[in-house]
Amino acid sequence: MNDAQIPQSEHLFLLVGANPLPNYVAAKLLLRPGGHVYLVHTDETAAVADRLIAVLRVTTDQVTKIEVKEAECDSILNQVAEYATDKQGVGLNYTGGTKTMAVHAYRAVEKHCPGAVFSYLDAQTLSLLVETSNSQVRKISVASALQVSLSQMLALHGYSLPSVRQTPNQPEVCQALATIHSDPTAVSQWRRWLEQQSLSALPDPAQCPLLRDVVEALRRLGNTPGEIARALNTEWGNLDQCRKWFLGDWLEEYTLWACIEAKSKDPNLFGDLGIDLKPQNAEGRSFQFDVALTRGYQLFALSC
């Protein structure tokens, strides 16, 4: 991707809607270094604009918030015109905001800024659509033009991420368990062992030869059940917790390992990744991602 293909503006107008991600991408791609960004927002999206400013890390003299009335055409037209008039190097990206905001912001810039660059970020093709001076549209692929981290992605939506674990726990055990689960007979033997009242000992490979690989992988973690459990971040004495890991939690670790393996073959496959993510916002609301990764400015959440 050649950055020279992307027309950057000294004065960039963005329309702020409920989703700040398109605005972030547009600002990073379209704003000339040292340029000024104008965030056209309503009362309802003022907080979204503030989060956008924080994640963009622009200084106060590089950004202007323009509040408009969403349902009042004259408010949008006049406010945008006031800030756009007599400026050179103007750009308007109308991906965000409402249809009313897009129409009347476009009218204002078109009228007062001859030569302005109009653009739209197309989510379906991951392309930047740029209107040229002769009203034709130029399509620029930007799928890999910008890498957004998990922390940045969540911060745009008002969530913080205290920590990100990026290393799988005991991948050799997880690989052995994945092999077991490709064989119905092996799965049956594994489940019968897990259903015992007490997990005082590992399965006997002599009686369950299909479990030999996973038993050997577990034995490499320690000489006692307690040592093995600590290596798995569980407690052997807590049967419910231990069974939970063996029944399903291992799959999250295996998924993370598989993602890392895929990236080792193609470093550009994706950017950031993490496991067992628990973002939280200022109101205390939280949720969980089993495994998540970013590819360019896209977020992929994997549920296990």
Side-chain angles (χ1 to χ4, degrees), residues 199-232:
L199 302 181
S200 57
L202 294 174
D204 183 354
Q207 298 180 3
C208 305
L210 296 177
L211 305 185
R212 184 179 303 278
D213 288 348
V214 73
V215 171
E216 291 178 354
L218 288 169
R219 283 177 174 167
R220 284 194 286 270
L221 302 182
N223 296 316
T224 66
E227 290 177 349
I228 294 172
R230 283 191 291 274
L232 299 175

Side-chain angles (χ1 to χ4, degrees), residues 2 5 8 12 39 48-50 63 74 84 99 102 120 140 145 147 149 189 243 278 285 303:
N2 182 4
Q5 292 180 315
Q8 295 186 321
L12 180 64
L39 302 178
V48 179
D50 289 335
V63 61
D74 288 345
K99 292 179 180 178
Y120 179 82
I140 306 171
Q147 290 291 339
S149 70
Q189 291 181 4
R243 285 194 179 99
K278 298 174 181 176
R285 181 182 298 174
S303 176

